[in-house]
Amino acid sequence: MRYGIQTGDCGVYVDMDLEKSPAQPQRQATPEGCLAVAIRIPVRIVVLVLVVPVRMVWDALVVVGRVLRDTVLRPFGRALAWLGRALFVWPFVGLWRYVVVPLGRAIGWLGNVLVVVPLGWLYRYALTPLGHALAWVARGVGAGLAWVARGIGAGMAWVARGVGAGLAWLYARLLTPVGHAVMWALRGLGAVLGALGLGVFGVLAWLVRHLVVVPVAWVYTWILTPVGHAIAWCARGLMWALSMTVTGVGTALYWVTRVLFVLPALALWRWILVPVGRVLAVLGREVADALGHAWRIAGHISLAVGRFLGTLLRWIFVEPVRWVYRTVLTPVGHVVRDLVLRPAAEAARGVGRATRQALAMARESARQARADFRRMVFGEQGQPQRVDRREPTGAETRTLGSSTTALTKD
């Protein structure tokens, strides 16, 4: 809801939240105890007494802040914005528009004249003919090298065919029989070495079985297994003893902790902290509700005080000033306008008109004197003769007295 302090035809409006917004979620109603009912009225009275001055000061500060914003801060901000544009934006715009852009265009023109055009001329009239000449020379050299390469290739092919025929005869008549003999010898040697390896492997396997595997299995079965069972039984007994000891100590510590810490803390929470928290929650809720009601009531009070002050200001200052303006200053101003200002304005306009006429006459006299002096010195100049124009002239402007018909045309 919007309220304001009215002063005559103008007013300063202040936003005051005097009612709760309907969009706010409603708190679920809970049963109230005698403590809430007993402390509600005193708390609201005390809070109202404390909040009313604060709300009135807040509304006054809001009004003063808006007046300062509209009359001081906003014009000052606009002046700062204009000053910032004048000091920072406009100089850079002028520098860009009248210095950087013409300088860039001049540099571009100089670059085009001094670099691009000479490079284009050099490419067109020097590098292009030179490249064509080099290409022609390269094509000639390539053709010569190709002819030489074809000759060398033909000679190498003839030599390669002769060498290939000799190597084929050597492979067929010498290397093939020698290779077959070497392969027959290697196969016999491989068969002998295989039989010898199988005999050595069988002997070594029998020795390892009777010298290593059988003794190790006997030691594991008749010595290590009983010793391991005895060690496991001892470890299980030791673990049972340790577990019983730890269980007893843990049970004792549990009951000591429960009796000395948990039960007192539970009693403290259940019989002291929970009731105190509930009392504090009731007090906090009532204080919050009281602050809300007091703030809205203080808004109504501040609105009434503002309207009273606005009416008092209007009857003390505005209405007397308006009455003086309407009944005294306006008739006096009309009399002064009719008896003093208008005659003075007519006299000033007459003086200005006479001055303009005198100046016009002086200019005309000076112009005539210059014309007489020019005729006296240079003589009378002939009037220019009018020459008939070959092209047709335009039609005269039509007026109310003229006509376009053949009967009424002059």
Side-chain angles (χ1 to χ4, degrees):
M1 187 178 293
R2 188 179 178 86
Y3 295 94
I5 301 174
Q6 298 287 338
T7 56
D9 295 335
C10 61
V12 178
Y13 290 92
V14 182
D15 291 331
M16 297 182 181
D17 187 12
L18 301 179
E19 295 183 359
K20 285 185 177 180
S21 176
Q24 293 179 355
Q26 299 293 332
R27 188 173 57 191
Q28 185 179 0
T30 56
E32 299 178 348
C34 59
L35 180 61
V37 177
I39 66 175
R40 178 173 299 165
I41 301 301
V43 168
R44 290 191 176 184
I45 293 173
V46 173
V47 171
L48 179 62
V49 172
L50 296 176
V51 168
V52 168
V54 177
R55 180 58 186 264
M56 295 182 68
V57 172
W58 173 258
D59 293 337
L61 290 176
V62 169
V63 173
V64 172
R66 293 192 175 182
V67 171
L68 289 177
R69 182 194 62 187
D70 296 335
T71 58
V72 177
L73 297 179
R74 186 172 294 170
F76 183 69
R78 291 175 180 174
L80 285 180
W82 182 86
L83 183 62
R85 287 194 298 270
L87 293 179
F88 297 102
V89 179
W90 294 342
F92 287 106
V93 171
L95 180 64
W96 172 261
R97 184 175 297 173
Y98 300 108
V99 177
V100 176
V101 173
L103 183 61
R105 290 178 179 174
I107 292 174
W109 181 80
L110 288 176
N112 185 33
V113 172
L114 298 178
V115 178
V116 177
V117 173
L119 288 178
W121 182 88
L122 179 64
Y123 173 77
R124 183 176 298 174
Y125 297 105
L127 296 180
T128 300
L130 181 62
H132 291 172
L134 292 176
W136 182 80
V137 172
R139 283 196 297 271
V141 172
L145 291 176
W147 182 80
V148 173
R150 283 197 297 271
I152 294 173
M156 293 297 293
W158 183 80
V159 172
R161 283 197 296 272
V163 172
L167 291 177
W169 181 85
L170 179 65
Y171 175 78
R173 301 300 179 181
L174 180 62
L175 296 179
T176 299
V178 172
H180 290 172
V182 170
M183 289 300 298
W184 180 82
L186 291 176
R187 281 197 295 270
L189 182 61
V192 173
L193 293 176
L196 184 61
L198 289 176
V200 171
F201 177 76
V203 172
L204 291 177
W206 184 84
L207 292 175
V208 168
R209 177 177 177 81
H210 289 83
L211 296 178
V212 177
V213 177
V214 174
V216 169
W218 185 84
V219 170
Y220 174 78
T221 303
W222 303 104
I223 297 175
L224 296 180
T225 301
V227 172
H229 291 172
I231 292 173
W233 183 81
C234 294
R236 283 195 297 271
L238 182 61
M239 290 300 297
W240 179 81
L242 290 176
S243 63
M244 294 302 294
T245 304
V246 171
T247 302
V249 173
T251 304
L253 290 177
Y254 166 75
W255 282 106
V256 168
T257 304
R258 182 179 177 84
V259 172
L260 295 179
F261 298 102
V262 176
L263 294 180
L266 183 62
L268 178 65
W269 169 262
R270 183 176 296 174
W271 304 107
I272 298 176
L273 295 180
V274 172
V276 171
R278 290 177 180 175
V279 172
L280 292 178
V282 171
L283 287 175
R285 185 174 64 251
E286 293 299 327
V287 169
D289 294 341
L291 284 174
H293 290 290
W295 189 259
R296 288 189 290 274
I297 294 172
H300 288 285
I301 296 173
S302 177
L303 176 62
V305 172
R307 289 180 177 176
F308 172 74
L309 292 177
T311 305
L312 185 63
L313 180 65
R314 186 174 68 250
W315 287 106
I316 293 177
F317 296 101
V318 178
E319 293 297 334
V321 172
R322 182 184 296 177
W323 180 83
V324 170
Y325 176 76
R326 288 182 178 177
T327 59
V328 178
L329 297 180
T330 301
V332 172
H334 290 173
V335 171
V336 171
R337 181 191 63 189
D338 296 335
L339 299 179
V340 178
L341 297 180
R342 285 182 179 175
E346 292 293 337
R349 283 194 291 270
V351 171
R353 193 178 302 111
T355 303
R356 287 193 297 273
Q357 291 177 359
L359 291 175
M361 292 177 64
R363 285 194 296 271
E364 185 65 27
S365 299
R367 189 181 301 109
Q368 189 67 30
R370 288 195 302 272
D372 294 339
F373 178 75
R374 190 165 47 251
R375 283 194 300 270
M376 181 180 64
V377 173
F378 300 103
E380 188 71 24
Q381 297 180 0
Q383 297 292 332
Q385 297 294 331
R386 183 175 181 180
V387 180
D388 293 335
R389 300 173 60 187
R390 292 187 178 183
E391 62 271 11
T393 59
E396 295 181 356
T397 305
R398 182 178 178 182
T399 60
L400 295 176
S402 63
S403 178
T404 57
T405 63
L407 297 176
T408 59
K409 186 179 297 183
D410 294 338

